[in-house]
Amino acid sequence: MEVGSLPVELWRLILAYLPLPDLGRCCLVCRAWRELILSLDSTRWRQLCLGCRECRHPNWPRRPHLPPVSWREALHQHALASRTWTQNGSDLHSSACLHLFRRRKDRRVWHAGTIAGGGYETLRGALAAAGPYDKVVLHAGVYEEQVEVSLKVPVEIVGLGKLGDVSLLVSFDQQCPTARLCNLVFMPAWFSPVVYKTSSGHVQLDNCNFEGCQLHIRGPGTCQARFCSFAQGSSAHFLGVTISLMDSCEFSGGDSASVTVEGAPVSERNWAFKHLVALAKTFTMMTSNGSTEISNQGGKDSVGAGSHVNTPLEGVNTMEDWNKQEVDWEANWAKQKGGGSLLPSQDGTVIEENGMETSSESSEEDDEQDGEKGTGLKLSYDQHGLAHLSKADTPDSSAFPALLSLSAELQRDAEARDLAALVQGCLLRRCLLRDGKGGVHLCNHGQARLEANVFRGLNYAVRCIQNAKMVMLRNEVCECKASGVFLRLSAQGLIAENNIHSNGEAGLDIRKGANPIILCNRIHSGLRSGIVVLGNGRGSIRSNQIYGNKEAGVYILFNGNPVVSGNHIFQGLAAGIAVNENGRGLITENVIRQNQWGGADIRRGGDPVLRNNFICYGYSDGVVVGERGRGLIEGNHIYGNRGCGVWVMSSSLPQLIGNHITHNRIYGLAVFCRKDTESAVSREGYRSLQERERGVGVGERDRGGPENFNEEGELMAWESDIDSEDERFSSRRPITVALVENNCISHNGAVGVYVKSNEPLNVVANMVNSNRGDGVSVIQSAQLTRLVGNCVLCNGWTGVAVDRDCRVELRGNGVYGNNCHGVCFRGDGLIVENDVVGNNAVGIRVMDNADVKVLRNRVQVLRGYGISVKERVRGVVQENLVYQSHSASTKTPIRTNKQNLECVVLNNSLLTPRSQALWTLDNPPPRPHNSNPSSVTPSTLPTHLAITMTNRITTSVESGCHNNSSIFCSIL
């Protein structure tokens, strides 16, 4: 009969009554009939799938309210999986040719229970009569055996009726090659909580419930469990398994781990190994194509294969947006500029202008400049050695490195690729683990693969310890009371494309030598940090989105040493990355943006490498180097932050090399001091800080604090992982003086480089230009601050300002085109071999009780004096060359106080312009002379910079140094 003889709708109505075998026969008629049968997916195929007693809804237990992609395909996959146990046919292959004519022995069906017409009364009696591959049907009732039941021959045990009608209080010991149990409820026998165990054969469990009991599988035995429920503390234990599959199962209400995998896979394989491997690879292929995305319940975020890369960067500002926001801010700041006023929207943050020259201070110069309103001849200084840094453009969001997909990461990482191909051990897929103590526990070289599962409401989701290895793909881990995923004691694994969110502690907790590969995950909305690495933990953390966590996105401490690369860390309620308590790490090529505290926060012995990151649009400072912080901070773009670009405490020893620090609202680089109110941090002191951080009250502390979720009894407090071996210093050559070298510090809202410190500081070969305040302002410097080979260009006020009682050396700098004085010096030190050209007021102004030597400088100003020595200055002004802008000028190029006999002025020269052709800076060319940017490496210092050993001097200074802290940047 032709399909076209009747309307399609009528055919569908007729075919809806056909059983499954007849539908299969109709598909074989012709292509038109096949297409017609396939079109019944949402009607007849759905009805057949839901009516099968051997399985449940295809998306149970994770998403039973959502239909599958295809009901027919779901039924097809179930039919294939349910027959795995029968594929052991070696006993029937009597010869190589006769098996083609072999006829399988008919399977017999045996009944047990209270039935009319016969049958066995007990399960043991039916099993005794059953032959190989026979079927035992259990009728409704409760079956109990007083001793262990051994399965000697392959057998299928099926419960009749609805799930729950047949209950077994039996302990099975499988001694045959294969068996299948379906539609049964298992409860523990009186003598053992273990209801089923096997050590060599294969068992298939379909649509069964386990209540308060245990399933034990020992290698080379295997297990395939589908649509099973483990409730009331039930659990599955796998010891040395080569492979076992737990598919679409539910675990709930346990007081220990729901699934425990222990021991390395044994070398021996049973007959089912190759079949289960084929099923596992099929599922992995399906999920990699995006067909099994995990969706959060209640409309939360979803994680699916490939969706990670295309997630837009919501809320990313551009520099145009930032500049628009700055218009009102700049106007208000200009009105309030006269006396260290508070900045708009920065309560309690003071821009100190002690070193800035106000218009009233320079008013006495103005009446001597009236005759020189013309510009005169200007010296060219464009060819200085740092010209390449002045051309750097500020990037916008289009310059952010893109997140790589998992496939791209696997292509470039052979180790991750090998882990992704791992199919040994226990395979847990499409399962729901909820409302218990633990999800999956791996230990003692155990191996597991977790795919597309949901872990919800547990104390912890996954715990991997003692050299165990796991692959964790496309899972959802949420609402855990402690951390979501724990890795300890040299554990390894691949953790990729998971959605880890809303956990009570860290999303991932890595310590004690664990070394996982963490790729392409979304880690967000945690009540504490996103990822914590401590206690000699390592790991490679790449291409993740880490956002919206209440504490640091990535927290490294206690000798933690991970590689953090290519991640987007944003919109956190604390720091983006925090490195603390002797933490280390290589932090490269990340986008760290829009965090409430510092983009990167380093303190208390933290010693990371922070290289080539974008740290931008933060609500506080870009990089914070707090008390006793160290580290190499190199090649980063730090811009658009509402606080300082880089905030450094004087007791720290960072190396800032080759960074672009631009367009930040306050200082570009600020170095501050504060009172040392505490000595070395004790473990007890750190714990009290943690308790304050977590809000632990006195009563809770007396009760022992939060519950200890660790089976080994280790404390949850991170300080318990301090390693006795002191490895906190990296292989980089240690330094004794903080170093700021080869940076571009420009277009910041206040001073470019602000120093208020009690420690020595080296500022070398930096471009400091176009900042709204001073270029460099040294307010306090109890020990020597060296400014060597810098270019201080076109800043809104004085080029270099040095306040009273400061010790500063200026050598080989170029100070050009600033809006006020070139150098204003009130402290003690040296001003040697600098070029001070084109500034709008006095070139070099020395005043108060300064004790200074001004030697061999080249000075030219548009107005005012070349060198002005005022008041009771002590020192020497010698061998300086002053370029006079106006040939007809009669003004003395060097102004001194004739009554001051303590300042010696001798052998200075005046050069008057004759022609523009001869009016240049040459022999030597404009300073600074440096500087091939490629010649400066993290491990080498410039040869012209002498680093000497200095003694650490701890002094008490007045309070009020930038409020004694960075803006909202204190992590502890």
Side-chain angles (χ1 to χ4, degrees):
M1 181 181 295
E2 294 294 334
V3 174
S5 60
L6 290 175
V8 175
E9 293 77 9
L10 186 56
W11 276 118
R12 289 175 178 170
L13 182 62
I14 296 172
L15 296 175
Y17 292 95
L18 294 182
L20 181 59
D22 290 339
L23 287 175
R25 296 185 183 98
C26 291
C27 281
L28 300 176
V29 174
C30 64
R31 180 175 299 176
W33 277 80
R34 175 178 172 80
E35 293 178 355
L36 181 61
I37 298 300
L38 296 182
S39 69
L40 304 176
D41 189 80
S42 60
T43 54
R44 183 54 178 163
W45 290 111
R46 176 180 181 275
Q47 185 181 11
L48 290 172
C49 188
L50 294 179
C52 179
R53 290 182 297 178
E54 300 179 356
C55 66
R56 309 190 194 189
H57 190 287
N59 285 330
W60 185 90
R62 302 169 307 146
R63 301 177 298 169
H65 57 286
L66 296 179
V69 176
S70 170
W71 291 97
R72 186 192 64 85
E73 183 62 27
L75 188 62
H76 176 230
Q77 293 297 327
H78 163 70
L80 292 178
S82 63
R83 296 171 186 168
T84 302
W85 78 283
T86 63
Q87 295 179 14
N88 176 32
S90 59
D91 58 322
L92 300 178
H93 292 267
S94 56
S95 68
C97 59
L98 294 181
H99 77 275
L100 298 174
F101 307 99
R102 182 194 67 247
R103 186 174 184 180
R104 180 183 291 271
K105 181 182 177 181
D106 292 336
R107 294 178 56 196
R108 299 186 62 181
V109 179
W110 305 88
H111 293 268
T114 305
I115 56 174
Y120 292 90
E121 294 184 0
T122 65
L123 172 62
R124 185 182 296 272
L127 292 175
Y133 300 97
D134 284 353
K135 183 176 184 179
V136 176
V137 178
L138 303 181
H139 291 251
V142 177
Y143 297 81
E144 182 176 7
E145 296 292 340
Q146 300 301 314
V147 295
E148 189 174 74
V149 175
S150 297
L151 298 181
K152 303 289 187 179
V153 296
V155 68
E156 180 180 18
I157 304 173
V158 179
L160 190 63
K162 297 181 180 178
L163 180 62
D165 290 347
V166 179
S167 299
L168 303 182
L169 281 74
V170 181
S171 178
F172 288 100
D173 180 12
Q174 179 181 334
Q175 300 175 4
C176 57
T178 182
R180 179 174 185 248
L181 295 90
C182 178
N183 205 38
L184 303 170
V185 176
F186 291 91
M187 292 182 287
W190 66 271
F191 55 88
S192 174
V194 179
V195 296
Y196 202 98
K197 62 182 179 182
T198 182
S199 59
S200 59
H202 170 74
V203 60
Q204 181 163 333
L205 303 168
D206 290 327
N207 197 30
C208 294
N209 282 0
F210 293 79
E211 298 181 0
C213 53
Q214 299 176 8
L215 170 68
H216 281 201
I217 308 297
R218 179 185 294 267
T222 56
C223 172
Q224 181 183 6
R226 303 176 64 254
F227 300 105
C228 293
S229 176
F230 293 76
Q232 301 178 19
S234 297
S235 58
H237 296 256
F238 299 89
L239 180 61
V241 295
T242 54
I243 190 168
S244 285
L245 270 64
M246 307 290 286
D247 187 2
S248 301
C249 296
E250 181 181 27
F251 299 83
S252 62
D255 56 0
S256 62
S258 298
V259 178
T260 300
V261 183
E262 181 178 1
V266 298
S267 58
E268 186 180 356
R269 305 285 189 264
N270 71 3
W271 68 269
F273 177 83
K274 61 181 181 180
H275 302 287
L276 295 181
V277 167
L279 281 177
K281 290 183 176 180
T282 301
F283 176 79
T284 301
M285 185 180 302
M286 291 169 57
T287 55
S288 64
N289 291 332
S291 61
T292 57
E293 295 183 355
I294 299 177
S295 176
N296 290 341
Q297 304 295 331
K300 295 180 180 178
D301 296 325
S302 61
V303 171
S307 63
H308 162 82
V309 178
N310 298 324
T311 304
L313 298 176
E314 293 130 354
V316 175
N317 292 339
T318 63
M319 283 310 302
E320 291 76 10
D321 298 332
W322 189 90
N323 288 327
K324 290 177 183 177
Q325 297 172 4
E326 293 296 286
V327 172
D328 295 336
W329 176 88
E330 182 177 3
N332 293 335
W333 183 66
K335 292 178 183 178
Q336 301 173 2
K337 188 177 178 181
S341 303
L342 291 179
L343 287 173
S345 74
Q346 297 291 342
D347 297 340
T349 303
V350 178
I351 291 186
E352 303 185 49
E353 300 187 5
N354 307 50
M356 296 184 185
E357 292 299 317
T358 63
S359 58
S360 61
E361 289 177 335
S362 59
S363 60
E364 57 188 78
E365 310 286 351
D366 294 341
D367 55 356
E368 300 182 15
Q369 298 171 1
D370 293 341
E372 299 177 3
K373 298 295 183 181
T375 59
L377 291 178
K378 297 182 180 179
L379 289 168
S380 173
Y381 45 78
D382 294 337
Q383 301 304 314
H384 59 81
L386 297 179
H388 60 280
L389 291 178
S390 63
K391 300 176 183 179
D393 296 328
T394 301
D396 56 20
S397 58
S398 62
F400 291 164
L403 290 166
L404 297 181
S405 65
L406 179 58
S407 59
E409 286 284 1
L410 295 179
Q411 285 178 1
R412 67 177 192 171
D413 189 337
E415 182 182 0
R417 190 163 58 248
D418 293 341
L419 282 172
L422 179 70
V423 293
Q424 288 197 102
C426 177
L427 277 69
L428 198 73
R429 65 189 192 187
R430 296 185 299 204
C431 295
L432 172 63
L433 299 93
R434 61 178 178 87
D435 303 329
K437 179 175 181 179
V440 178
H441 178 75
L442 293 91
C443 60
N444 194 20
H445 298 273
Q447 296 186 14
R449 186 182 186 97
L450 315 176
E451 294 189 41
N453 304 287
V454 175
F455 300 84
R456 184 173 65 240
L458 303 163
N459 285 353
Y460 66 86
V462 180
R463 184 176 182 84
C464 187
I465 64 173
Q466 297 171 339
N467 298 98
K469 186 182 297 184
M470 70 173 178
V471 177
M472 189 173 175
L473 299 176
R474 305 178 187 93
N475 302 276
E476 180 185 0
V477 179
C478 63
E479 300 174 11
C480 294
K481 296 179 178 62
S483 297
V485 180
F486 289 88
L487 294 107
R488 302 280 193 281
L489 301 172
S490 302
Q492 299 182 50
L494 172 64
I495 302 172
E497 289 193 342
N498 301 282
N499 185 15
I500 302 173
H501 66 95
S502 308
N503 297 290
E505 297 283 341
L508 289 98
D509 188 308
I510 305 166
R511 63 179 85 180
K512 291 188 176 179
N515 189 19
I517 300 174
I518 302 170
L519 306 176
C520 306
N521 301 280
R522 294 168 64 192
I523 304 169
H524 61 99
S525 308
L527 300 183
R528 297 198 71 184
S529 299
I531 300 176
V532 171
V533 185
L534 64 154
N536 290 318
R538 294 177 292 164
S540 180
I541 303 169
R542 307 197 304 267
S543 298
N544 301 281
Q545 294 186 69
I546 305 172
Y547 60 95
N549 298 287
K550 286 192 175 181
E551 294 184 10
V554 178
Y555 200 172
I556 306 169
L557 65 166
F558 295 129
N559 294 329
N561 192 14
V563 175
V564 184
S565 175
N567 304 280
H568 285 201
I569 304 171
F570 58 99
Q571 295 176 357
L573 301 182
I577 296 179
V579 186
N580 214 312
E581 303 293 346
N582 301 330
R584 293 175 292 167
L586 175 62
I587 303 168
T588 65
E589 298 180 354
N590 302 281
V591 177
I592 306 171
R593 60 180 174 88
Q594 294 174 301
N595 295 286
Q596 292 289 338
W597 295 1
D601 192 299
I602 306 166
R603 61 185 74 215
R604 295 180 184 271
D607 188 15
V609 175
L610 192 70
R611 179 177 292 145
N612 298 336
N613 301 280
F614 290 82
I615 304 174
C616 54
Y617 306 125
Y619 296 100
S620 183
D621 304 317
V623 176
V624 175
V625 185
E627 185 177 8
R628 301 194 306 279
R630 304 176 66 91
L632 172 63
I633 303 170
E634 180 183 28
N636 302 282
H637 291 274
I638 305 169
Y639 63 94
N641 299 286
R642 294 190 181 181
C644 305
V646 179
W647 187 97
V648 177
M649 186 175 291
S650 62
S651 62
S652 60
L653 289 174
Q655 302 177 64
L656 277 77
I657 300 175
N659 302 283
H660 291 267
I661 306 171
T662 63
H663 294 90
N664 299 286
R665 179 166 288 188
I666 310 183
Y667 308 116
L669 166 65
V671 182
F672 284 99
C673 59
R674 67 181 298 174
K675 291 183 179 180
D676 257 330
T677 57
E678 54 186 354
S679 58
V681 180
S682 66
R683 293 177 61 181
E684 290 75 20
Y686 180 72
R687 182 171 301 174
S688 64
L689 285 168
Q690 260 202 331
E691 289 170 353
R692 289 198 299 270
E693 190 181 37
R694 298 179 57 178
V696 177
V698 176
E700 183 177 349
R701 185 170 63 249
D702 293 341
R703 293 191 301 269
E707 183 183 354
N708 177 12
F709 299 131
N710 193 321
E711 288 83 357
E712 289 75 34
E714 67 179 354
L715 294 175
M716 290 296 293
W718 293 332
E719 70 273 14
S720 63
D721 284 308
I722 298 178
D723 197 280
S724 59
E725 183 180 0
D726 187 4
E727 297 181 352
R728 62 181 178 274
F729 298 111
S730 64
S731 60
R732 302 191 306 274
R733 184 174 67 83
I735 63 171
T736 57
V737 179
L739 174 65
V740 181
E741 181 179 11
N742 211 47
N743 302 282
C744 176
I745 304 172
S746 65
H747 297 92
N748 296 288
V751 178
V753 178
Y754 183 94
V755 180
K756 189 170 184 179
S757 170
N758 285 326
E759 303 292 341
L761 175 67
N762 293 318
V763 182
V764 182
N766 300 280
M767 167 62 72
V768 184
N769 71 296
S770 304
N771 300 285
R772 290 190 178 123
D774 295 340
V776 180
S777 179
V778 184
I779 302 300
Q780 176 178 317
S781 179
Q783 297 197 48
L784 183 61
T785 296
R786 305 190 69 213
L787 305 175
V788 180
N790 302 282
C791 180
V792 185
L793 175 68
C794 297
N795 294 284
W797 205 242
T798 302
V800 180
V802 179
D803 210 346
R804 301 174 183 86
D805 301 322
C806 295
R807 297 181 56 201
V808 178
E809 176 184 346
L810 274 73
R811 185 184 297 272
N813 302 284
V815 185
Y816 304 121
N818 297 285
N819 203 37
C820 192
H821 309 300
V823 177
C824 183
F825 205 97
R826 299 181 179 184
D828 303 333
L830 298 173
I831 305 175
V832 181
E833 295 180 351
N834 302 281
D835 289 343
V836 186
V837 173
N839 299 286
N840 207 33
V842 177
I844 299 177
R845 190 182 195 203
V846 186
M847 56 193 303
D848 289 350
N849 293 321
D851 186 353
V852 63
K853 293 182 180 180
V854 184
L855 307 174
R856 298 185 299 279
N857 301 283
R858 297 186 294 187
V859 184
Q860 186 251 353
V861 293
L862 302 180
R863 301 187 304 165
Y865 297 102
I867 301 175
S868 174
V869 182
K870 300 176 60 179
E871 301 172 2
R872 306 299 299 174
V873 174
R874 303 183 304 276
V876 178
V877 180
Q878 185 177 358
E879 297 182 4
N880 299 284
L881 177 60
V882 180
Y883 293 79
Q884 191 167 356
S885 300
H886 301 271
S887 59
S889 176
T890 59
K891 181 184 295 185
T892 303
I894 300 177
R895 176 188 177 184
T896 61
N897 184 355
K898 296 180 181 180
Q899 298 179 354
N900 182 8
L901 301 179
E902 298 185 18
C903 182
V904 179
V905 181
L906 60 124
N907 296 336
N908 298 286
S909 303
L910 173 65
L911 184 61
T912 302
R914 296 180 180 178
S915 68
Q916 184 68 46
L918 301 176
W919 197 241
T920 59
L921 290 172
D922 55 6
N923 195 27
R927 296 182 176 97
H929 293 155
N930 197 23
S931 160
N932 181 2
S934 62
S935 66
V936 181
T937 64
S939 59
T940 60
L941 297 175
T943 56
H944 59 269
L945 179 61
I947 302 295
T948 59
M949 295 297 292
T950 60
N951 295 323
R952 181 68 57 86
I953 298 177
T954 303
T955 61
S956 296
V957 299
E958 71 276 12
S959 60
C961 298
H962 199 58
N963 285 347
N964 282 336
S965 65
S966 168
I967 310 169
F968 308 117
C969 284
S970 177
I971 191 105
L972 292 175

